[in-house]
Amino acid sequence: MKGTIIISLSAKWTTILKNGLLIILGAFIYAVAINDFLIPHQIGEGGVTGLTAVGYYALHIPPFITNLVLNGLLLVIGFRFLDQKTVWYSLWAVLWISIFLKLPRLLQYQTRQTIIPAIAGGVLMGIAMGIIFRGEGTIAGSTILAKIMNRYFGMMTGTAMLLFDLIVAIPSGLIIGLQNMILTVVELYVSAVVLNNLLSRFGAKKSVTIITNQTDQVTAALSKRLKQGITLVNAKGYYYQEKRPMIYAICSKPQLAEIVPVISTIDPDALVVIEDVHSVKGELLDKIL
């Protein structure tokens, strides 16, 4: 019993350490996107990050101060409505984003082709948020509000984030100009596409459905190779009215490359249907919404 408790605590702290390091990495990439691509080219952002940019452009307030203060207030709201673990991880993310925003520019990149920093900043933003989300945190700001909307009103998190981001991004055109406001919307769109793609890959698996005359042999071979559960589904062919079980299994892409030759060796005439699926535990479903 004591050994089980020690193992459980060790696994818990390992998870916390892994998530903490992922969030630090994501916060660093996020700060690079702001310091090296958005602010130098007067491109805005959505949510609290957009307000930090506007505050810098209009009032010369250091971005790290605005980020820390506004996100701190939103995290207080988050404690009331959201899971406390997510809020603590988000606080960790906000802290490190603020620290990295205070550092000097890393890349010193400057160009007149303003679409380039908009796209590059959007890609980095999307990657950063994906990494932070993978570490079970958020960047606070509009993410906190979006999660509240998702939890209590059923609005998809991505849609709610875009809504709150645009509320800040569009009026920012009064300060940064119409062209830069349009570039801001482009950057937001790019970051949303990148983030959605990263989230869609979280828990992504392949589903394999097999119809074969050698059901027992194929099932035994797959079970031995995959070392996991395999489902047999009772099925009936309409034309010949023949009853035959279908084999259904979930596997990763590397595992798929291993099992297809096995199936072909046992039954070259087997019908194999492969589809992309998102296979995650119930409590992790919010990560792919």
Side-chain angles (χ1 to χ4, degrees), residues 126-127 129-130 133 161 190-200:
I127 292 173
M129 287 189 289
F133 285 6
M161 280 186 65
V190 171
S191 66
V193 170
V194 173
L195 176 60
N196 286 338
N197 274 279
L198 289 176
L199 293 180
S200 70

Side-chain angles (χ1 to χ4, degrees), residues 166-211:
L166 289 176
I167 288 174
V168 173
I170 293 176
S172 70
L174 297 174
I175 296 174
I176 62 177
L178 178 62
Q179 175 179 293
N180 285 354
M181 185 271 286
I182 294 173
L183 290 171
T184 299
V185 174
V186 171
E187 181 271 323
L188 287 173
Y189 175 76
V190 171
S191 66
V193 170
V194 173
L195 176 60
N196 286 338
N197 274 279
L198 289 176
L199 293 180
S200 70
R201 293 178 184 276
F202 182 82
K205 298 281 187 178
K206 298 287 185 179
S207 72
V208 185
T209 303
I210 307 161
I211 301 175

Side-chain angles (χ1 to χ4, degrees), residues 39-40 42 50-64 66 175:
I39 287 181
Q42 286 205 319
L51 292 175
T52 65
V54 170
Y56 178 78
Y57 299 143
L59 304 173
H60 303 290
I61 301 174
F64 77 93
T66 313
I175 296 174

Side-chain angles (χ1 to χ4, degrees), residues 33-132:
I34 295 173
N35 282 342
D36 290 87
F37 291 96
L38 302 187
I39 287 181
H41 299 90
Q42 286 205 319
I43 298 173
E45 240 292 320
V48 167
T49 306
L51 292 175
T52 65
V54 170
Y56 178 78
Y57 299 143
L59 304 173
H60 303 290
I61 301 174
F64 77 93
I65 293 178
T66 313
N67 179 73
L68 194 60
V69 172
L70 293 181
N71 278 323
L73 292 174
L74 287 170
L75 284 170
V76 171
I77 298 174
F79 268 110
R80 172 66 177 81
F81 295 100
L82 298 175
D83 174 45
Q84 289 195 8
K85 181 177 72 172
T86 300
V87 176
W88 281 115
Y89 278 132
S90 299
L91 181 60
W92 181 249
V94 169
L95 175 63
W96 280 100
I97 288 173
S98 298
I99 290 172
F100 289 134
L101 284 175
K102 195 175 180 181
L103 297 178
R105 290 175 59 186
L106 180 66
L107 302 179
Q108 299 296 325
Y109 176 75
Q110 193 75 31
T111 178
R112 294 182 179 179
Q113 301 295 328
T114 48
I115 191 66
I116 297 176
I119 293 175
V123 170
L124 289 177
M125 283 286 196
I127 292 173
M129 287 189 289
I131 293 174
I132 291 172

